[in-house]
């Protein structure tokens, strides 16, 4: 193993990730684990150099203060405690954002080396994945999103053709998105990739369904069925790869913190598909996942792509989805993204997209009255997606986009620019 490790045990702190980042910023790899980790589990981790007991406001769970197994103090690792008055170690602190104390613990007490970087992380994960998987096969749902793409590239590096990727095109992808997944993974990385074009199946199921929640349920449910059918066709799969990252774990709730929302990376797979899980990104933050993707050689547009909802264009083709509106939306979205990239705005704006409402408006085309669709442009900035502000797009830029959309997408005769913050609006329309 190439990296030293500092283990943070979560004893109810709301600042575990702050401490983890602080240590990583000092060049030492750190992982957050539950307070009730056993000595055997701790010893199974590689290159542990020291332990931080990180207490805090959530230390009392159901009336009982959580604590570590007393044997943890005896296993020979240096231990410090933060906000944990009853800890049985010598170094205890009320709180820690002080860099000098942390540095002294890492480098003087634990004798850790500052050897955390993406190259070493990848080398260690490749070893760990090979150890876990042996000669068995791993199945991965590869959507083309950042997390699933990075985990696929890492697994390909570790186990090559023992990874079976399934890319389900639900027909609600953006322009060329599935083609790019095939180009990068099948053609460039020589992945074992199964491509399922399920467009007709999804669009047939969605026909006439206008209710947003029902649309989401149909898309999520159908995705599981298609993936399950593919999985059942394959033989000898023992593991499921998942692009789980650390924020997913936190938001899903820990032993001392309540869930914000549950994350199901594959939409919640049926229980009778019994696999072991391979989740090599589970300790990384989003920016680290992107850095890992870059180090693995994935293209920048894949690694730095803007957030895109699982139900895809399905939640932007408002009301009951029709193929002609979906196609118009896809073309308009591609034009908007192209112009954003040309103007360098793609690196500045957090999320930008088009939406197509379910009505037609009057227009004039070829000197005659004609009915056409309206496309809405939305461009927002946010840090955590809980609130969002509007990007003030330049009017000349907007005019160019409007001209291109109304010229190149003949079924569209109006374009609007939407200016509502979140709250009171949400980022998506459905
Ligand atoms: P809202 O519309 O709730 O969106 O303000 C917040 C952020 O979440 C994205 N989003 C989704 N992402 N599956 C996802 O993976 C979904 O079903 C979904 N719905 C919304 C949205 O694009 C925005 O970035």
């Amino acid at each position: 193993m190439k990296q030293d490790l500092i283990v943070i045990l979560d004893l109810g702190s709301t600042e575990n990730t702050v401490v983890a980042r602080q240590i990583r910023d000092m060049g030492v790899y750190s992982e957050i684990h539950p307070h009730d980790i056993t000595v055997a589990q701790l010893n199974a981790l590689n290159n542990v150099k020291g332990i931080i007991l990180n207490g805090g406001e959530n230390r009392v769970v159901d009336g009982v203060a959580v604590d570590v197994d007393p044997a943890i103090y005896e296993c020979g690792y240096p231990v410090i405690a933060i906000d944990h008055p009853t800890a049985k170690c010598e170094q205890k602190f009320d709180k820690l954002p002080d860099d000098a104390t942390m540095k002294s613990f890492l480098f003087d007490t634990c004798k850790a080396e500052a050897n955390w970087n993406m190259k070493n992380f990848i080398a260690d994960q490749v070893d760990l994945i090979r150890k876990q998987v042996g000669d068995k096969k791993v199945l991965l749902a590869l959507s083309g999103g950042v997390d699933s793409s990075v985990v696929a590239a890492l697994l390909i590096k570790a186990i090559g053709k023992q990874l079976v990727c399934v890319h389900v095109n639900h027909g609600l992808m953006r322009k060329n998105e599935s083609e790019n997944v095939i180009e990068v993974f099948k053609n460039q990385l020589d992945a074992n990739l199964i491509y399922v074009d399920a467009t007709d199946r999804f669009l047939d199921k969605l026909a006439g369904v206008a209710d947003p929640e029902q649309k989401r349920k149909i898309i999520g449910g159908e995705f599981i069925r298609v993936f399950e059918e593919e999985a059942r066709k394959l033989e000898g799969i023992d593991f499921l790869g998942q692009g789980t990252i650390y924020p997913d774990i936190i938001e899903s709730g820990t032993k001392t913190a309540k869930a914000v929302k549950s994350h199901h990376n594959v939409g919640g797979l049926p229980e009778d598909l019994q696999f072991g899980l391979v989740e090599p990104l589970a300790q990384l933050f989003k920016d680290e996942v992107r850095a890992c993707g870059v180090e693995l050689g994935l293209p920048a547009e894949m690694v730095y792509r803007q957030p895109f909802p699982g139900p895809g264009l399905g939640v932007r083709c408002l009301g009951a989805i029709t193929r002609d509106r979906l196609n118009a939306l896809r073309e308009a979205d591609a034009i908007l993204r192209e112009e954003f990239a040309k103007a360098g705005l793609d690196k500045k704006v957090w999320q930008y997209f088009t939406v197509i409402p379910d009505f037609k408006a009057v227009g004039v085309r070829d000197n005659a009255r004609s009915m056409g669709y309206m496309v809405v442009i939305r461009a927002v900035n946010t840090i955590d997606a809980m609130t969002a502000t509007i990007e003030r797009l330049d009017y000349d830029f907007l005019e160019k986009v409007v001209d291109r959309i109304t010229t190149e997408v003949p079924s569209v005769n109006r374009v609007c620019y939407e200016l509502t913050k979140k709250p009171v609006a949400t980022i998506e329309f459905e």
Side-chain angles (χ1 to χ4, degrees), residues 261 350-351 378-391 418-428:
K261 56 181 170 184
W350 198 77
Q351 201 171 7
R378 186 140 171 80
V380 297
N381 291 305
T382 174
I383 290 170
D384 56 8
M386 303 297 284
T387 61
T389 54
I390 297 306
E391 172 68 18
E418 210 256 335
L419 293 174
T420 321
K421 289 188 288 237
K422 175 180 182 174
V424 56
T426 52
I427 294 176
E428 304 288 347

Side-chain angles (χ1 to χ4, degrees), residues 184-370:
V184 170
F185 287 96
K186 199 167 187 114
N187 301 347
Q188 293 176 22
L189 297 179
D190 195 26
N192 197 350
L193 172 68
I194 297 170
Y195 171 64
V196 188
D197 184 355
T199 302
D200 288 338
R201 186 169 164 165
F202 276 83
L203 294 188
D204 288 351
K205 277 252 153 132
L206 287 164
V209 180
D211 177 63
E213 277 308 304
Q214 218 190 328
K215 284 167 68 178
R216 279 175 179 271
K217 277 200 188 119
I218 289 172
I219 297 166
E222 202 57 17
F223 182 88
I224 292 167
R225 269 186 291 280
V226 174
F227 188 75
E228 190 185 15
E229 281 169 25
E230 292 304 318
R232 292 204 196 284
K233 282 186 216 160
L234 299 165
E235 276 174 18
I237 302 278
D238 285 82
F239 293 95
L240 190 67
Q242 296 227 78
T244 312
I245 70 171
Y246 198 67
D248 299 341
I249 293 179
I250 299 173
E251 289 194 344
S252 298
T254 62
K255 286 182 177 156
T256 60
K258 288 204 172 63
V260 179
K261 56 181 170 184
S262 309
H263 283 260
H264 299 285
N265 277 301
V266 198
L269 284 170
E271 281 177 10
D272 59 339
L273 282 179
Q274 303 222 329
F275 298 111
L277 288 182
V278 184
E279 298 181 299
L281 309 180
Q283 287 283 344
L284 294 193
F285 297 96
K286 194 78 181 189
D287 57 320
E288 295 170 338
V289 173
R290 294 190 208 277
C292 183
V294 170
E295 186 64 38
L296 287 163
L298 289 178
E301 59 272 19
M302 198 165 244
V303 171
Y304 289 100
R305 76 176 211 161
Q306 55 169 321
F308 186 59
L313 298 181
V315 292
R316 297 179 183 170
C317 189
L318 307 186
I321 297 168
T322 59
R323 284 175 195 250
D324 65 333
R325 271 194 316 121
L326 184 61
N327 289 337
L329 171 66
R330 187 178 283 118
E331 293 302 321
D333 174 76
I335 291 167
L336 184 77
R337 286 192 293 132
E338 201 181 306
E339 291 300 328
F340 259 68
K342 266 199 237 164
L345 287 165
D346 55 337
K347 291 173 192 74
K348 177 174 175 251
V349 182
W350 198 77
Q351 201 171 7
Y352 46 95
F353 54 89
T354 54
V355 171
I356 193 160
D358 188 14
F359 64 81
K360 280 188 168 176
V362 178
V364 181
R365 209 178 270 282
D366 301 327
N367 295 320
R369 175 189 156 98
S370 73

Side-chain angles (χ1 to χ4, degrees), residues 78-91:
V79 180
I80 57 167
I82 306 171
D83 197 2
H84 182 20
T86 57
K88 295 175 189 61
C89 56
E90 280 176 21
Q91 289 200 65

Side-chain angles (χ1 to χ4, degrees), residues 11 37 131 159 161 200 276 284 340 359 382 390 401 430:
L11 283 130
I37 190 169
K131 231 183 252 168
I159 54 168
K161 292 272 164 71
D200 288 338
L284 294 193
F340 259 68
F359 64 81
T382 174
I390 297 306
V401 173
E430 283 193 340

Side-chain angles (χ1 to χ4, degrees), residues 39-104:
V39 171
Q41 287 166 330
L42 193 64
N43 286 334
L45 301 172
N46 290 298
N47 282 8
V48 176
K49 294 289 174 184
I51 299 171
I52 296 175
L53 310 182
N54 201 25
E57 59 191 69
N58 297 327
R59 200 161 90 79
V60 177
V61 178
D62 297 331
V64 179
V66 298
D67 212 336
V68 292
D69 178 349
I72 295 283
Y73 296 109
E74 310 300 326
C75 48
Y77 303 113
V79 180
I80 57 167
I82 306 171
D83 197 2
H84 182 20
T86 57
K88 295 175 189 61
C89 56
E90 280 176 21
Q91 289 200 65
K92 293 196 243 184
F93 302 91
D94 290 342
K95 56 180 184 174
L96 207 90
D98 170 5
D99 277 2
T101 313
M102 182 62 92
K103 271 192 184 141
S104 160

